[in-house]
């Protein structure tokens, strides 16, 4: 399996084709749509809890809300598998390239309980 072992959950804002392409390449990624969690008004916190329960870092464009959520969880002593934030304006091939780079260069221990931005 490619990558360094981060298991990823792409939230509802991320085009499910990102997960499709990366899964075909052998990465362990699940989309919100595949999990049956899209178009249901599920809160960001519930999505993060789902990802955490699955041992997956969450990939999101919702930087502000997830930064606040990360801080709240840390204040409460709660841990998550990681939050990966990205720019929503990226063309799909560039987003896929950056996610792949992240998965190939960041160790799960580094991602755990951290908010990391996709590298350029």
């Amino acid at each position: 399996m490619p990558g360094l072992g981060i298991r990823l959950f792409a939230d509802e804002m991320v085009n499910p084709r990102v997960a499709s392409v990366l899964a075909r390449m052998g990465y362990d990624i699940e989309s919100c749509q595949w999990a049956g969690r899209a178009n249901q008004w599920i809160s960001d916190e519930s999505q993060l809890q789902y990802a955490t329960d699955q041992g997956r870092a969450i990939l999101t464009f919702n930087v502000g809300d997830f930064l606040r959520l990360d801080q709240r969880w840390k204040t409460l002593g709660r841990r998550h598998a990681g939050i990966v934030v990205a720019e929503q304006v990226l063309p799909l091939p560039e987003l896929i390239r950056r996610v792949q780079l992240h998965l190939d260069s960041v160790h799960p221990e580094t991602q755990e309980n951290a908010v990391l931005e996709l590298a350029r």
Side-chain angles (χ1 to χ4, degrees):
M1 176 175 286
L4 299 178
I6 292 176
R7 301 177 68 222
L8 202 58
F9 176 71
D11 86 354
E12 190 168 8
M13 296 176 74
V14 177
N15 187 322
R17 288 185 289 169
V18 172
S20 295
V21 169
L22 291 169
R24 279 195 307 272
M25 296 169 70
Y27 293 93
D28 188 344
I29 183 169
E30 178 182 39
S31 75
C32 184
Q33 291 79 4
W34 297 350
R37 299 180 62 80
N39 302 315
Q40 296 183 39
W41 298 97
I42 297 172
S43 71
D44 293 336
E45 183 159 18
S46 291
Q47 297 289 31
L48 182 60
Q49 184 63 60
Y50 172 83
T52 299
D53 291 346
Q54 301 298 313
R56 296 180 181 278
I58 191 165
L59 172 65
T60 185
F61 298 135
N62 192 352
V63 179
D65 287 346
F66 275 89
L67 285 174
R68 285 186 289 279
L69 192 51
D70 172 66
Q71 287 303 312
R72 186 169 34 152
W73 275 37
K74 286 177 179 168
T75 299
L76 296 172
R78 295 179 69 187
R79 298 183 61 80
H80 52 74
I83 299 169
V84 182
V85 295
E87 302 171 39
Q88 189 168 3
V89 296
L90 291 174
L92 191 61
E94 178 63 12
L95 177 59
I96 292 167
R97 184 191 72 77
R98 289 187 189 186
V99 174
Q100 183 180 11
L101 175 63
H102 186 85
L103 295 172
D104 287 343
S105 62
V106 177
H107 290 274
E109 299 81 27
T110 303
Q111 182 65 74
E112 187 178 339
N113 211 41
V115 178
L116 300 177
E117 184 176 358
L118 290 179
R120 297 179 188 271

